[in-house]
Amino acid sequence: MTAHPEHLSSNPPPSSLSISTPSLASHLPPLGSSPTPPSFLRSKPAGGASQPRHKRLSHLFQRGRSNSDRERQGGERERVPEAVYNPPGLIKIYADALSTGANYKSVLATKASTAGELIVDFISRYGHVLQQPTSSLEEPEGENEKDGSQNESGTPGHHRAATADDFVLCDVIGRSRSEAKVHLVSSGWVAECRRALSGSERPLLLMEMWRPKEGFERRFEIRRRDDFEREERERLEKERKGEANSTADVNAQARRFRAARTRMASGSGGEASSEIPEKTVDLRRSISDMNLSIRRRHGNSSRSGQGEGDRKNVKSMLLDDGEAALLPKEADGNRDTERDLERGEEGEGGTSDLELLSQSLILPPTDRPYFLLLQGYDEKKDFVLYIMSRSTHIFGRTMTAAERQKEREGAKNRRKREYLQVDTFLSAPDILPWHLLVRRGQPFTSSESAVIRPFRGGVVTHNGAELLREAELKTGDIIGLGKHFFFLYKDPTSARPSVLPWLPQIYAPPNLSGAFCCGACGRSIVDRQAALRDYLQSREPILRYHPKFEEQLLKEIVEKNDSLHSEGGALAPAYLLALCIDHASRHLAPSHLPVLLLKTANLIKSLVLEKIKEIGDKQPENQQDSHEVSTLSIEAVTTELQPLMFWMSNATELLNFIQLKVQDMEKDWEFENLCDPALSADLEMGSEALTLLDDVIMYTFQQCVYYLTKTLYSALPALLDSNPFSSKSSGDTPDEDLSSMPPGVARVLEVYRSTLDLTRTCQLHPDLVSQTFGYLFFFSNASLFNTLMERGSSSELFFSWSRAVQIRTNLDLVLDWLQGAGLGDIANEFFRKLSITVNFLCIPKTLLIQSSWSTLQEDYPLLSPMQLNHLLQHYKLGPAREPPASWAPPEDTNLMTDIFESFLDHPPLILPSEVSQLQLSVPIPSEELYSEVQRVRTFLWNLEQESLPANQRIHHL
């Protein structure tokens, strides 16, 4: 009774192969719970490289110590004297505001010393300074000491003793007189700003943590509180009345002009050029500078007699012909107008006119791209120019509190995205926090074009057409954001287009879509017919369609290309479906692609399950005719397996192609907001589509190897019984190519040959071809080995040298033929166990008798102790000859294992991971596939024309 493999039951078994789809979510390191300092306080590594995580967090944690160690360390520190950890320091307190000639006094303080304590210390140690007469206290010192305790109201001539509440300690930032541009005092110190410290502030800690910027210094001054408050009131009153000093006026004018430049140029700093005329540069200065220049010219004219010409030049630069409305009067030689210009600072109208005029004459940059606002939402907030100062430019709006919280939650699950900072904030309600990205390959180089890409959910138009995917951006293009904003993109570094790219979109018919996709907008009927003819005859891998025809398109593809007999070729379904997916990924909404992927995978899976059911119903065992099992021919098997092998090949190519699209979706998922449930749902749908295609490949692979091994099971025993040295019968061989083979060998090779032809006809992926034959060789090795071990224990002379030589010869014929077919390496790997066993039996009897157990086990390690002992015990040495004692295994040898090979130890199915054979970057490769693409294009065009009114239809010739 021969050993029957477990998987060759009456019905195909459920799959024991498992396919693991790799996770598309990235693993991110957990965030630390300790608070981190602001980014501007953290030190950065040289060169801008990011530091390793353990270095970035090393200052937050005490590595190598437990919590108890840190607590114990903190307790020990509390017992150490405070002077060790809080050393004292000297603070210089200047008192020249209290007493003329008093420079500064040094006071000993610690980090815990407050401003109130320092004032008390200063009063107690330097009271003589406080008692000297000052500008606000001119009474004699004696009277102050005598009557101070009785005059609480502070009447003139009598002063009470000074207390800490009468003084305030000021934190003053300034610089020495030699470095100051404007000398406000006669001393060597110029104060820029000052602030009164509260009694609880700690000056020494303030000096350590907040330092003035380079070129400035800090010092502490003690002043009388009444004097300080009076001076502050006077300063605020002057600011309210607009009575600022001359320096403040210049600064205010400069600030107004900088604000105007910001509104116009959005931070541009590169418009100055040597090619700009010298007098035009004057127009780009502040109004104060212009007024000074006019006065300077007027003063020069009185000395040189050329003032009138200069004023005319100024006037001609400010105004063009026909723009007299900007000034009260315009006429050559009108001295009233010139006088108004010269007195621009004195008259309110002149100043405002010049300010407005200077803002309108700001020139755009000449060395970097910019966006010109054509239509905005809020005139008070919208700028005119937005400069592209980086290689990437992002439009968006300020996030709400809820959106910021959502963003912080999403930041925990992704890497830091510094490149997503918004450059231009817009105010319309339909603008997303991240709405549009503009990117250039290299910063501001004419050789690199820009690309524009909307964020998920952002409404963007490009030259009037809705933008759903990344597209090329050229100078002169018009970009629309939401319903309100329109920008004109200008790149001074690139060539200006001869035709405005957005002009044809104005004449776009409302219902034109599908085959043209607005590519024929604005053309005449004749031009559109020519464009249609070029599209239908093009060999470019393009298939355009409208989403409403998608269901009919998919049905047409799978019904007309469902077998090898279709005219499109073996990979026609995968190629056409890939064209549909590629079109959706480029021209349809981003949310449509995952739906199409899932729909395609479900369609293929349903077709495959139907084919598997049809093949199962045709099997003899399911027709209650078990006698036909042994006569199942390989020709019938391969004919039935053609649909399964066909769809396994197409599903494999689609799997690799869709994997690339899902990877792009994953990049979008990482690039955009990870908290968006729509993005996560799309990614889930893409992963589900990949899983369905995995199942399709697994089902078809299992069914193919199941029916092939059934045929092999009936053909393999002849390989052990056939005598290659006897005369053969030519009628026993089914193929002329195998006519020279012994009948037993020819039957086995015919199964291998027919399977190889089937894989080549279906253009199966090379990785799956090798795995298919790997499984067949695994089954052949295990089946022949088990048959050999089972029949060797009978009375037949299987374990003998003569029979072993015949089997060795048949096996060599099979391996040689497989080597010539390109399967030699796979065959040698999986036939190793059978080949070693046959080699063992081919050992001459005289040499085998002299061998010991240890020697044989060392020479044949693939044989288990039980299998080796079985071969030695049943080896035919001759009549009445017992095995020699040297063949006996040691007493501790485990002889309780099975002598047969298991059919469950088959190699796992590993799906191909390399790039798909569907190369859509090259023209259509074959004529039959080209004809099928043309037929599908015509089918789609007819559907589109039937959906249009009769007056809008285009008939091609």
PDB file of all heavy atoms in Angstrom, residues 14 47 140 213 242 249 389 453 464 540 572 599 603 686 791 856 891 927:
ATOM      1  N   PRO A  14      -8.351  23.626   2.178  1.00  0.00           N
ATOM      2  CA  PRO A  14      -8.216  25.071   2.436  1.00  0.00           C
ATOM      3  C   PRO A  14      -6.759  25.450   2.455  1.00  0.00           C
ATOM      4  O   PRO A  14      -5.875  24.629   2.690  1.00  0.00           O
ATOM      5  CB  PRO A  14      -8.861  25.256   3.809  1.00  0.00           C
ATOM      6  CG  PRO A  14      -8.791  23.913   4.446  1.00  0.00           C
ATOM      7  CD  PRO A  14      -8.918  22.907   3.320  1.00  0.00           C
ATOM      8  N   GLY A  47      26.278  72.052  11.058  1.00  0.00           N
ATOM      9  CA  GLY A  47      25.863  71.603   9.749  1.00  0.00           C
ATOM     10  C   GLY A  47      24.392  71.403   9.584  1.00  0.00           C
ATOM     11  O   GLY A  47      23.918  71.027   8.549  1.00  0.00           O
ATOM     12  N   PRO A 140      17.304 121.739  53.353  1.00  0.00           N
ATOM     13  CA  PRO A 140      18.550 121.369  54.029  1.00  0.00           C
ATOM     14  C   PRO A 140      18.420 120.024  54.675  1.00  0.00           C
ATOM     15  O   PRO A 140      17.350 119.605  55.090  1.00  0.00           O
ATOM     16  CB  PRO A 140      18.750 122.502  55.057  1.00  0.00           C
ATOM     17  CG  PRO A 140      17.943 123.646  54.533  1.00  0.00           C
ATOM     18  CD  PRO A 140      16.791 123.054  53.814  1.00  0.00           C
ATOM     19  N   LYS A 213      21.136  92.150  24.037  1.00  0.00           N
ATOM     20  CA  LYS A 213      21.767  91.734  22.795  1.00  0.00           C
ATOM     21  C   LYS A 213      23.126  92.415  22.640  1.00  0.00           C
ATOM     22  O   LYS A 213      23.478  93.339  23.398  1.00  0.00           O
ATOM     23  CB  LYS A 213      20.865  92.052  21.616  1.00  0.00           C
ATOM     24  CG  LYS A 213      20.678  93.530  21.343  1.00  0.00           C
ATOM     25  CD  LYS A 213      19.788  93.723  20.124  1.00  0.00           C
ATOM     26  CE  LYS A 213      19.630  95.192  19.795  1.00  0.00           C
ATOM     27  NZ  LYS A 213      18.778  95.388  18.604  1.00  0.00           N
ATOM     28  N   GLY A 242       1.330 113.192  20.352  1.00  0.00           N
ATOM     29  CA  GLY A 242       2.145 113.117  19.149  1.00  0.00           C
ATOM     30  C   GLY A 242       3.339 114.022  19.162  1.00  0.00           C
ATOM     31  O   GLY A 242       3.855 114.390  18.085  1.00  0.00           O
ATOM     32  N   ASP A 249      10.457 110.624  15.583  1.00  0.00           N
ATOM     33  CA  ASP A 249       9.734 110.885  14.341  1.00  0.00           C
ATOM     34  C   ASP A 249      10.367 110.139  13.171  1.00  0.00           C
ATOM     35  O   ASP A 249       9.675 109.569  12.332  1.00  0.00           O
ATOM     36  CB  ASP A 249       9.720 112.387  14.080  1.00  0.00           C
ATOM     37  CG  ASP A 249       8.941 112.727  12.831  1.00  0.00           C
ATOM     38  OD1 ASP A 249       7.740 112.369  12.769  1.00  0.00           O
ATOM     39  OD2 ASP A 249       9.532 113.307  11.909  1.00  0.00           O
ATOM     40  N   SER A 389      10.210  83.113  -0.899  1.00  0.00           N
ATOM     41  CA  SER A 389      11.547  83.270  -0.335  1.00  0.00           C
ATOM     42  C   SER A 389      12.248  81.949  -0.076  1.00  0.00           C
ATOM     43  O   SER A 389      13.434  81.940   0.222  1.00  0.00           O
ATOM     44  CB  SER A 389      11.464  84.066   0.980  1.00  0.00           C
ATOM     45  OG  SER A 389      10.618  83.403   1.908  1.00  0.00           O
ATOM     46  N   ARG A 453       0.869  71.652  -5.784  1.00  0.00           N
ATOM     47  CA  ARG A 453       0.202  70.471  -5.232  1.00  0.00           C
ATOM     48  C   ARG A 453      -0.777  70.889  -4.151  1.00  0.00           C
ATOM     49  O   ARG A 453      -0.392  71.514  -3.166  1.00  0.00           O
ATOM     50  CB  ARG A 453       1.241  69.513  -4.644  1.00  0.00           C
ATOM     51  CG  ARG A 453       0.622  68.403  -3.803  1.00  0.00           C
ATOM     52  CD  ARG A 453       1.673  67.516  -3.234  1.00  0.00           C
ATOM     53  NE  ARG A 453       1.093  66.493  -2.381  1.00  0.00           N
ATOM     54  CZ  ARG A 453       1.724  65.397  -1.997  1.00  0.00           C
ATOM     55  NH1 ARG A 453       2.950  65.181  -2.396  1.00  0.00           N
ATOM     56  NH2 ARG A 453       1.139  64.521  -1.226  1.00  0.00           N
ATOM     57  N   GLY A 464      -7.891  77.918 -14.377  1.00  0.00           N
ATOM     58  CA  GLY A 464      -9.316  77.730 -14.542  1.00  0.00           C
ATOM     59  C   GLY A 464      -9.808  76.318 -14.379  1.00  0.00           C
ATOM     60  O   GLY A 464     -11.005  76.095 -14.223  1.00  0.00           O
ATOM     61  N   GLU A 540       0.765  55.978 -26.957  1.00  0.00           N
ATOM     62  CA  GLU A 540       1.087  56.327 -25.587  1.00  0.00           C
ATOM     63  C   GLU A 540       0.166  55.563 -24.633  1.00  0.00           C
ATOM     64  O   GLU A 540      -1.018  55.367 -24.938  1.00  0.00           O
ATOM     65  CB  GLU A 540       0.933  57.828 -25.356  1.00  0.00           C
ATOM     66  CG  GLU A 540       1.917  58.675 -26.142  1.00  0.00           C
ATOM     67  CD  GLU A 540       3.356  58.389 -25.739  1.00  0.00           C
ATOM     68  OE1 GLU A 540       3.606  58.214 -24.525  1.00  0.00           O
ATOM     69  OE2 GLU A 540       4.208  58.321 -26.633  1.00  0.00           O
ATOM     70  N   ALA A 572      -3.355  41.523 -20.931  1.00  0.00           N
ATOM     71  CA  ALA A 572      -4.237  42.613 -21.349  1.00  0.00           C
ATOM     72  C   ALA A 572      -5.101  43.128 -20.201  1.00  0.00           C
ATOM     73  O   ALA A 572      -5.227  44.354 -20.026  1.00  0.00           O
ATOM     74  CB  ALA A 572      -5.104  42.162 -22.515  1.00  0.00           C
ATOM     75  N   LYS A 599     -12.455  48.290  -5.760  1.00  0.00           N
ATOM     76  CA  LYS A 599     -13.421  47.777  -6.719  1.00  0.00           C
ATOM     77  C   LYS A 599     -12.750  46.812  -7.707  1.00  0.00           C
ATOM     78  O   LYS A 599     -13.303  45.751  -8.036  1.00  0.00           O
ATOM     79  CB  LYS A 599     -14.048  48.950  -7.474  1.00  0.00           C
ATOM     80  CG  LYS A 599     -15.196  48.584  -8.396  1.00  0.00           C
ATOM     81  CD  LYS A 599     -15.637  49.809  -9.205  1.00  0.00           C
ATOM     82  CE  LYS A 599     -16.033  50.949  -8.298  1.00  0.00           C
ATOM     83  NZ  LYS A 599     -16.514  52.125  -9.086  1.00  0.00           N
ATOM     84  N   LEU A 603     -13.481  42.727  -8.028  1.00  0.00           N
ATOM     85  CA  LEU A 603     -13.915  42.191  -9.319  1.00  0.00           C
ATOM     86  C   LEU A 603     -13.070  40.997  -9.734  1.00  0.00           C
ATOM     87  O   LEU A 603     -13.590  39.954 -10.174  1.00  0.00           O
ATOM     88  CB  LEU A 603     -13.846  43.300 -10.375  1.00  0.00           C
ATOM     89  CG  LEU A 603     -14.281  42.928 -11.796  1.00  0.00           C
ATOM     90  CD1 LEU A 603     -15.740  42.484 -11.810  1.00  0.00           C
ATOM     91  CD2 LEU A 603     -14.065  44.116 -12.734  1.00  0.00           C
ATOM     92  N   GLY A 686      -6.863  51.040   0.447  1.00  0.00           N
ATOM     93  CA  GLY A 686      -5.734  50.589  -0.356  1.00  0.00           C
ATOM     94  C   GLY A 686      -5.114  49.314   0.187  1.00  0.00           C
ATOM     95  O   GLY A 686      -4.771  48.399  -0.579  1.00  0.00           O
ATOM     96  N   ARG A 791       8.210   0.460  -0.399  1.00  0.00           N
ATOM     97  CA  ARG A 791       8.369  -0.764  -1.207  1.00  0.00           C
ATOM     98  C   ARG A 791       9.672  -1.489  -0.884  1.00  0.00           C
ATOM     99  O   ARG A 791       9.810  -2.667  -1.167  1.00  0.00           O
ATOM    100  CB  ARG A 791       8.327  -0.389  -2.686  1.00  0.00           C
ATOM    101  CG  ARG A 791       6.974   0.179  -3.114  1.00  0.00           C
ATOM    102  CD  ARG A 791       6.974   0.606  -4.555  1.00  0.00           C
ATOM    103  NE  ARG A 791       7.182  -0.530  -5.456  1.00  0.00           N
ATOM    104  CZ  ARG A 791       7.169  -0.431  -6.791  1.00  0.00           C
ATOM    105  NH1 ARG A 791       6.963   0.751  -7.361  1.00  0.00           N
ATOM    106  NH2 ARG A 791       7.367  -1.490  -7.546  1.00  0.00           N
ATOM    107  N   LEU A 856      28.565   5.970   7.973  1.00  0.00           N
ATOM    108  CA  LEU A 856      27.434   6.190   7.079  1.00  0.00           C
ATOM    109  C   LEU A 856      26.604   7.399   7.522  1.00  0.00           C
ATOM    110  O   LEU A 856      26.129   8.182   6.684  1.00  0.00           O
ATOM    111  CB  LEU A 856      26.549   4.944   7.039  1.00  0.00           C
ATOM    112  CG  LEU A 856      27.191   3.706   6.400  1.00  0.00           C
ATOM    113  CD1 LEU A 856      26.271   2.503   6.537  1.00  0.00           C
ATOM    114  CD2 LEU A 856      27.493   3.963   4.923  1.00  0.00           C
ATOM    115  N   GLU A 891      23.019   2.426  21.341  1.00  0.00           N
ATOM    116  CA  GLU A 891      21.817   2.174  22.145  1.00  0.00           C
ATOM    117  C   GLU A 891      20.996   3.436  22.384  1.00  0.00           C
ATOM    118  O   GLU A 891      19.771   3.369  22.535  1.00  0.00           O
ATOM    119  CB  GLU A 891      22.223   1.561  23.486  1.00  0.00           C
ATOM    120  CG  GLU A 891      22.874   0.184  23.356  1.00  0.00           C
ATOM    121  CD  GLU A 891      23.233  -0.386  24.712  1.00  0.00           C
ATOM    122  OE1 GLU A 891      23.010   0.348  25.713  1.00  0.00           O
ATOM    123  OE2 GLU A 891      23.741  -1.512  24.763  1.00  0.00           O
ATOM    124  N   GLU A 927       1.500  44.669 -30.642  1.00  0.00           N
ATOM    125  CA  GLU A 927       0.465  45.079 -31.572  1.00  0.00           C
ATOM    126  C   GLU A 927      -0.914  44.636 -31.093  1.00  0.00           C
ATOM    127  O   GLU A 927      -1.895  45.371 -31.224  1.00  0.00           O
ATOM    128  CB  GLU A 927       0.764  44.511 -32.966  1.00  0.00           C
ATOM    129  CG  GLU A 927       1.949  45.140 -33.658  1.00  0.00           C
ATOM    130  CD  GLU A 927       1.753  46.630 -33.896  1.00  0.00           C
ATOM    131  OE1 GLU A 927       0.600  47.054 -34.116  1.00  0.00           O
ATOM    132  OE2 GLU A 927       2.753  47.366 -33.857  1.00  0.00           O
TER     133      GLU A 927
END
